[in-house]
Amino acid sequence: MAPTIVIVGAGVSGLTSALLLSKSIKGCDLTIVAKHMPGDYDIEYASPWAGANFEPMSSREGSRWERRTWPELKRLTEEVPEAGIHFQKSRVYRRNKDMEAEGQLGLFALDPWFKDLFDDYRELNNDELLPGTDSGCGFTSVCINTAIYLPWLLGQCRKAGVVFKRGVLRNIREAKTLSHTGRPADIIINTTGLGARKLGGVEDTAMAPIRAQIVLVRNELPTMLSVSGTEDEPADLIYTMQRAAGGGTILGGTYDMNNWESAPDPNIALRIMRRVVEARPDIANGKGVAGLDVIRHGVGLRPYRHGGVRIEDEKLDESTWIVHNYGHAGWGYQGSYGCAEQVVELVDKIRAQVKSKL
Ligand code: FAD
């Protein structure tokens, strides 16, 4: 018999988990219950705010999820234009002074694991570097227009028979009674992101926000750009990415740990825009900040988890299991398929343990 599954959360983690489960388990009943759905913009819902691009952040040892996600994002870009993803050249710039700081591995590593992932990875020549940077690399990656991609994922899930319901859970246990079939859930998938900090029965105090302020502009900059550091505040970043299909260009940003503030700060916004026009004056035809045409200012909270993402199974009671998939910080899209694959593996493991039932 196929299991009855309830997924809590409709961000990129919940939607991708639902999609892969629907493909992998024939005849299973899948319900997604969430406070926020594609189309909503809210500080408690990280997914719509993301750029989102694929710029690997993991170490070589932790690269499983990004490695497994890249082929599917590449396939969707090549074969499924309605998913709202396009290829974009990426330029990553390193400053030696940032390389000494802890944590400056991942995207800015000098000998990154992902040089074998992209067909055209290369180190940049000195005459290609931005002023103030010491080295860099280039490769062709993708940028996802999340305003198109999230509804597309939702549509793919509906096509596969997944049923969507609004609901706000106070305790993860409530999901047991929320399947559209009326049957008790055998397996609950917890993809509540930062919500896992407050949700009863989970209350994961390792979860923390990393505030991300961005500016979305109509101006175009066909090359994505990331620099390892800035001369401004410690939480300030510089990155850009142009979303597919007229989605505008995201200018970033900040990486501000433990800051819950949802309102955009005008001073930060000005610093973001100034840094971008200084690095790439062509984005505003040389007119500086005044040449930027702002669509909106935004703030999202990256769902960070001290100790790393939580993807594991847990027994709730004699007949119910939970599979957790939350805490993806700033890489929820670029790890989405790899993480959802692991959710499927854990569900398979649970089914194997109770073969007679599910
Ligand atoms: P969320 O999108 O936050 O979804 C959580 C879901 O759980 C929501 O539906 C919510 O309503 C629901 N929920 C929570 N609690 C409850 C409850 N009690 N009851 C019912 N429902 C509940 N990632 C990349 O890969 N590439 C990028 O370029 C990138 N750029 C980013 C830029 C910004 C500005 C930000 C903010 C993030 C960026 N990220 C990027 C990170 C990415 O957005 C997140 O990792 C990802 O969206 C997390 O998705 P999620 O589904 O786990 O959580």
Side-chain angles (χ1 to χ4, degrees), residues 59 71 114 136 281:
S59 62
F114 55 81

Side-chain angles (χ1 to χ4, degrees), residues 8-14 33-37 44-53 167-170 191-195 199 212 214 239 241 300-303 325-326 328-335:
V8 188
V12 67
S13 308
V33 184
K35 183 172 180 185
H36 303 97
M37 293 280 178
E44 292 179 6
Y45 188 28
S47 293
W49 298 108
N53 64 11
V168 184
L169 278 68
R170 280 194 295 186
T191 61
T192 51
L194 202 49
L199 180 61
I214 51 101
Y239 65 87
M241 63 191 88
L301 301 179
R302 302 176 183 94
N325 178 18
Y326 65 84
H328 305 83
W331 54 272
Y333 284 84
Q334 61 201 41

Side-chain angles (χ1 to χ4, degrees), residues 236-290:
D236 284 8
L237 295 179
I238 169 163
Y239 65 87
T240 69
M241 63 191 88
Q242 188 180 318
R243 284 176 163 179
T249 301
I250 298 268
L251 314 182
T254 56
Y255 194 88
D256 201 358
M257 182 71 85
N258 290 324
N259 186 342
W260 294 88
E261 178 54 59
S262 60
D265 175 328
N267 292 320
I268 292 178
L270 198 57
R271 291 206 300 273
I272 290 172
M273 295 189 283
R274 185 181 42 73
R275 285 193 294 268
V276 171
V277 295
E278 276 173 15
R280 290 295 302 263
D282 50 322
I283 190 174
N285 289 327
K287 293 180 186 150
V289 171

Side-chain angles (χ1 to χ4, degrees), residues 77-91:
T77 310
E78 283 164 349
E79 298 175 14
V80 188
E82 63 272 28
I85 311 176
H86 68 174
F87 286 114
Q88 219 178 357
K89 283 202 184 311
S90 177
R91 293 281 176 269

Side-chain angles (χ1 to χ4, degrees), residues 13-253:
S13 308
L15 296 167
T16 316
S17 299
L19 186 59
L20 295 204
L21 283 167
S22 72
K23 287 183 179 168
S24 146
I25 309 174
K26 229 176 153 208
C28 82
D29 289 305
L30 282 159
T31 311
I32 292 192
V33 184
K35 183 172 180 185
H36 303 97
M37 293 280 178
D40 298 344
Y41 282 88
D42 194 280
I43 196 66
E44 292 179 6
Y45 188 28
S47 293
W49 298 108
N53 64 11
F54 185 100
E55 300 268 82
M57 287 179 191
S58 52
S59 62
R60 189 178 298 275
E61 299 71 40
S63 63
R64 166 189 171 166
W65 295 297
E66 291 178 335
R67 264 182 212 281
R68 301 287 302 175
T69 300
W70 173 246
E72 182 58 6
L73 289 182
K74 189 164 178 263
R75 186 191 73 78
L76 291 173
T77 310
E78 283 164 349
E79 298 175 14
V80 188
E82 63 272 28
I85 311 176
H86 68 174
F87 286 114
Q88 219 178 357
K89 283 202 184 311
S90 177
R91 293 281 176 269
V92 176
Y93 302 94
R94 314 177 190 105
R95 306 185 315 164
N96 288 345
K97 56 181 150 188
D98 303 323
M99 294 302 105
E100 286 146 27
E102 254 188 277
Q104 290 294 6
L105 296 168
L107 183 60
F108 301 105
L110 284 170
D111 181 27
W113 62 266
F114 55 81
K115 68 181 183 193
D116 303 323
L117 194 70
F118 301 107
D119 305 333
D120 60 350
Y121 178 95
R122 68 180 179 86
E123 284 295 306
L124 299 179
N125 302 320
N126 283 344
D127 61 0
E128 295 174 286
L129 297 177
L130 291 177
T133 64
D134 301 293
S135 68
C137 63
F139 48 88
T140 302
S141 182
V142 296
C143 181
I144 303 168
N145 183 342
T146 61
I148 296 178
Y149 183 64
L150 291 173
W152 177 82
L153 271 180
L154 183 146
Q156 296 304 299
C157 288
R158 275 176 59 83
K159 201 156 112 185
V162 180
V163 174
F164 285 79
K165 295 190 347 186
R166 289 271 180 177
V168 184
L169 278 68
R170 280 194 295 186
N171 191 297
I172 191 74
R173 183 175 289 277
E174 294 165 30
K176 204 173 159 173
T177 60
L178 293 175
S179 167
H180 70 279
T181 62
R183 286 194 298 275
D186 303 302
I187 301 173
I188 296 164
I189 315 288
N190 173 21
T191 61
T192 51
L194 202 49
R197 193 182 156 87
K198 273 202 303 198
L199 180 61
V202 183
E203 288 156 316
D204 189 340
T205 52
M207 290 300 297
I210 301 181
R211 185 179 185 274
Q213 182 165 333
I214 51 101
V215 185
L216 183 66
V217 297
R218 294 187 179 82
N219 308 63
E220 298 194 337
L221 191 61
T223 308
M224 294 194 277
L225 146 80
S226 304
V227 187
S228 61
T230 79
E231 290 302 295
D232 294 334
E233 298 298 317
D236 284 8
L237 295 179
I238 169 163
Y239 65 87
T240 69
M241 63 191 88
Q242 188 180 318
R243 284 176 163 179
T249 301
I250 298 268
L251 314 182

